[in-house]
Amino acid sequence: MRLVPRSRRARVAVGVAAAGLVVAGVYVARVVTSPAYGVAAAPRGDAPECARIEKGYPDDLAGRERAPGGAAGVAVWGDRAVVSRCGMTPPAPTPELCVNVDGVDWVLREARSRDGRKVVITYGRDPAVEVSVSDRVTELDAVLVDLSKAVKPIRQRHKCLDSRGR
């Protein structure tokens, strides 16, 4: 019984198939090891607004490179040092701290800020953008400045009335 292909065409086909398997394996390994892998999309992460602002996300944020891949509406920098999820339900009026950064209102979600992470969400924009920032990132203000530029294309319908979000 002969296992080696007889024709040149058959040998080329086997070589192409083997090369395809190697490329696919490398791609899968890169996606699975990306920090963006496994970050859940927001409920409306596939909204057209999220697709538009994703193009405006910076390649570098707080000295960390944007990770490849990820679910719709998700962007990750560094080893999940900063995670942005577009497509969240906008928060209702709240007594939580609300700050305006370059024309974008952000609400600090104190109840969700734990385990070494601060969580903020845009206020008055639909869909909302939620950002989770590791305590390892000391430049939270700079992160919000850069992300405010990216989320501005989502129309603001409501504004925080004062510094306490009311």
Side-chain angles (χ1 to χ4, degrees):
M1 179 176 198
R2 185 177 169 131
L3 296 176
V4 177
R6 293 182 184 199
S7 73
R8 176 173 164 76
R9 183 180 297 185
R11 285 192 301 264
V12 168
V14 168
V16 168
L21 286 173
V22 169
V23 169
V26 168
Y27 174 76
V28 168
R30 182 170 181 195
V31 168
V32 171
T33 59
S34 169
Y37 180 75
V39 176
R44 294 178 41 220
D46 59 352
E49 295 90 347
C50 295
R52 278 195 302 274
I53 70 163
E54 189 173 4
K55 295 172 187 166
Y57 280 142
D59 292 331
D60 183 77
L61 190 63
R64 291 156 176 90
E65 191 175 315
R66 185 169 170 192
V74 172
V76 176
W77 290 267
D79 188 19
R80 295 189 185 184
V82 180
V83 177
S84 176
R85 296 187 325 138
C86 180
M88 301 296 288
T89 301
T94 176
E96 293 180 290
L97 177 65
C98 183
V99 296
N100 183 287
V101 179
D102 288 346
V104 176
D105 290 338
W106 295 93
V107 174
L108 175 62
R109 301 299 248 184
E110 292 185 47
R112 298 210 45 219
S113 296
R114 59 183 179 273
D115 299 327
R117 300 191 76 77
K118 287 181 182 55
V119 178
V120 295
I121 189 167
T122 56
Y123 183 82
R125 295 173 193 268
D126 189 6
V129 177
E130 178 186 77
V131 178
S132 172
V133 182
S134 167
D135 286 345
R136 297 184 321 257
V137 176
T138 57
E139 314 87 14
L140 180 60
D141 294 345
V143 166
L144 291 181
V145 166
D146 288 344
L147 291 180
S148 291
K149 292 175 192 170
V151 304
K152 269 188 180 179
I154 298 176
R155 194 174 128 238
Q156 185 162 358
R157 292 176 169 85
H158 307 287
K159 293 184 179 218
C160 293
L161 298 179
D162 66 25
S163 63
R164 291 301 301 174
R166 292 170 272 182

